[in-house]
Amino acid sequence: MSLLLGAIADDFTGATDLANTLVEQGMPTVQSIGVPADGFDPGDARAVVVALKSRANPAKEAVTDSLAALAWLQGQGAEQIIFKYCSTFDSTDDGNIGPVADALMDAMDTNFTIACPAFPKNGRTIYKGYLYVGDVLLNESGMKDHPLTPMTDANLVRVLSRQTPHQVGLVDMDVVNQGSAAIRARLDELQGAGCRHAIVDAINDADLMSIGEALAGVTLVTGGSGIALGLPENFRRTGEMSDS
């Protein structure tokens, strides 16, 4: 049985959160510490989460490790890839989120993806492109003093734009509130306008479910664990996965 979802997580704890999210949504999932060795058998899993230790590595190392994970997941037939990073978007202006996302897109021959680190149950929300930690902006939270990835700007469009040479757009809450069809239309509009990345607002799990539905058929998705909430249902709609 081939994989439906393959995930590349930039640390172990985040990988575990993502695997838990997928399992809670009824998708059989296994987690691997590092790129699986030859002979690794995912059994009846429909998703595999590869846990790397790449969050604070130099960008080139993070790219190399992530591409190795991608190659393995593609070899298992994964139809959709998730690049999972922290819900506080931990990343300096040199990377690693932008460089890894761009490298994955190049390797997958796709020219568009989304970035949505929102994880409402842990207090991470995005509104008008600004990331909040609880009730405060990211740059007013304890993340501003992080020793490796100090987050001094809450505007994710600006943050990601400093990490990639490509255009970054925004799907804001006015669109998200209109549901999955409007979200997909906005994504298509941004892609047609030359954007390679799109930050997507989300303030609750219902938003993430709508976003997930809009991402049906999108080959690369990037974000926090919450972005996986609505993805399994897409495979049920196509008949590729059942509730059993």
Side-chain angles (χ1 to χ4, degrees), residues 74-157:
Q74 288 179 318
Q76 303 301 307
E79 298 179 18
Q80 188 172 48
I81 299 295
I82 304 172
F83 168 38
K84 192 275 174 198
Y85 40 78
C86 186
S87 58
T88 48
F89 214 70
D90 300 9
S91 199
T92 69
D93 286 352
D94 295 326
N96 294 339
I97 293 173
V100 170
D102 282 332
L104 293 174
M105 279 191 280
D106 289 343
M108 297 173 68
D109 195 26
T110 185
N111 62 5
F112 186 78
T113 190
I114 67 106
C116 183
F119 199 17
K121 75 176 185 179
N122 282 0
R124 290 12 175 202
T125 57
I126 309 168
Y127 181 74
K128 299 295 183 179
Y130 287 83
L131 179 57
Y132 287 79
V133 177
D135 295 330
V136 302
L137 289 164
L138 175 66
N139 59 296
E140 297 174 0
S141 73
M143 285 301 299
K144 71 181 184 300
D145 299 316
H146 194 284
L148 297 177
T149 54
M151 303 306 296
T152 59
D153 189 351
N155 186 304
L156 297 186
V157 174

Side-chain angles (χ1 to χ4, degrees), residues 206-239:
D207 295 334
L208 291 170
M209 294 297 290
S210 294
I211 294 164
E213 183 176 357
L215 295 173
V218 174
T219 55
L220 176 65
V221 175
T222 89
S225 300
I227 198 59
L229 276 175
L231 299 181
E233 189 62 29
N234 292 330
F235 296 107
R236 293 191 186 91
R237 292 188 185 97
T238 62

Side-chain angles (χ1 to χ4, degrees), residues 35 52 54 58-71 99-100 103-104:
V35 178
L52 303 176
S54 58
K60 287 185 179 180
E61 290 182 18
V63 165
T64 297
D65 292 346
S66 299
L67 290 176
L70 172 66
V100 170
L104 293 174

